[in-house]
Amino acid sequence: MTQPLVYVDAPATTPYKFGLFSAAAVVDPADQREFQAGVEWEPLCVDAPAPTSVAAASDPDRVAMALPDGVPSVQAGVIRLYAGLTGRSTARPDLLERARRALGAVEQQSLEHYVWTGEAGNDAYLADADTEVLAGAAAVPLEEGVGLLEAHIGDRAGVLGALWAPRWTGGWFASKALARIEGPRLVAPLGNPIVFAQTTGVGAGGAAPAAGEAWLYATGPVMVRRSAVFLPKLAEALDRTDNEVFAVAERFYTVGWSCAVAAVKVKLPGVPA
């Protein structure tokens, strides 16, 4: 007679770290109407250095001030994620809760992928063909690329933004001392939080990096807004023809950033030229 398996608890888990949610302002709004069409906001953006007038204010021939026309607007569309499972045991009332936990475990890295590549159909994404590419698309050393991106944020936003790097480059950042821990964040030398993203890592226009190279991005301040988690009631999830439970959790998100977005291609340390 075979000894039956002993049921034990799953191993304890540690939440996903140093991803999008650590670098962004994450908002769970009470009003859910925004997740029908998306959101927009008016960022306060600057261009450095600010212009100066060398003529006296009383000089009738002084050059007119050059000011931007109107207030900029940022828009972020809706990304809809779902996770779950099916099961044939109606004696398992925890199936819906398992679906909720599954969505919570995958939402952050899923958003990173879609916001990087644009595969969710959202208008604002990093690898857009219109994204500004720094250094003339030439591959620069990793530390130079990080410096260019942090300078770009300072020029265009005037406040801390975010750096975005493929998750697999984390070791390279550590080897060059380009990231340090500040609270729940990993930040670059000048304090911009780094999103170490789960992504294919494509460059502007969708170009894949060559061997030994990687694409990095910089944006202004990032905001993630999340809806409530939608779950069916157990009676609604049960298909009585075969007693199968269709347990699915859904959640809607908007992800966007203010002021700046740019890309740079870097040569990874230790990779021969």
Side-chain angles (χ1 to χ4, degrees):
M1 180 177 177
T2 303
Q3 174 68 31
L5 299 177
V6 177
Y7 187 86
V8 299
D9 291 335
T13 58
T14 301
Y16 186 87
K17 298 181 70 175
F18 305 131
L20 174 59
F21 291 174
S22 72
V26 181
V27 182
D28 299 319
D31 189 342
Q32 302 289 290
R33 291 176 298 174
E34 66 187 62
F35 299 104
Q36 298 300 314
V39 297
E40 65 176 338
W41 66 87
E42 295 177 351
L44 180 59
C45 302
V46 301
D47 285 317
T52 181
S53 176
V54 297
S58 59
D59 186 346
D61 296 323
R62 69 183 183 277
V63 177
M65 291 183 177
L67 296 173
D69 183 14
V71 177
S73 176
V74 172
Q75 297 182 348
V78 179
I79 300 174
R80 297 169 172 84
L81 300 180
Y82 67 90
L85 69 161
T86 59
R88 292 186 178 276
S89 174
T90 55
R92 290 290 301 270
D94 66 326
L95 292 180
L96 292 175
E97 181 56 31
R98 289 180 69 88
R100 179 196 294 272
R101 295 201 305 269
L103 182 60
V106 79
E107 61 179 346
Q108 188 171 188
Q109 50 268 55
S110 301
L111 292 174
E112 292 164 1
H113 171 77
Y114 292 126
V115 170
W116 191 297
T117 64
E119 291 179 12
N122 50 309
D123 292 332
Y125 63 99
L126 299 175
D128 192 313
D130 292 334
T131 295
E132 182 179 356
V133 179
L134 307 180
V140 300
L142 177 61
E143 57 270 35
E144 181 180 345
V146 170
L148 288 171
L149 293 176
E150 289 206 283
H152 183 83
I153 293 171
D155 286 343
R156 301 297 176 84
V159 296
L160 292 180
L163 267 61
W164 302 66
R167 204 161 182 83
W168 56 267
T169 64
W172 298 112
F173 273 76
S175 72
K176 288 290 186 177
L178 291 171
R180 66 181 186 274
I181 295 177
E182 283 191 0
R185 294 174 160 182
L186 271 178
V187 303
L190 299 184
N192 291 286
I194 306 171
V195 180
F196 280 111
Q198 193 68 33
T199 175
T200 59
V202 295
E213 297 178 347
W215 284 95
L216 310 180
Y217 290 87
T219 65
V222 183
M223 180 164 59
V224 177
R225 300 177 71 86
R226 306 183 298 186
S227 76
V229 178
F230 297 100
L231 291 163
K233 297 179 181 178
L234 186 58
E236 299 168 340
L238 176 62
D239 183 349
R240 296 188 179 277
T241 59
D242 55 9
N243 278 344
E244 184 173 63
V245 176
F246 183 75
V248 60
E250 295 182 277
R251 199 172 199 182
F252 303 162
Y253 308 81
T254 59
V255 185
W257 49 82
S258 300
C259 303
V261 59
V264 68
K265 185 165 61 175
V266 298
K267 176 71 74 173
L268 297 175
V271 177

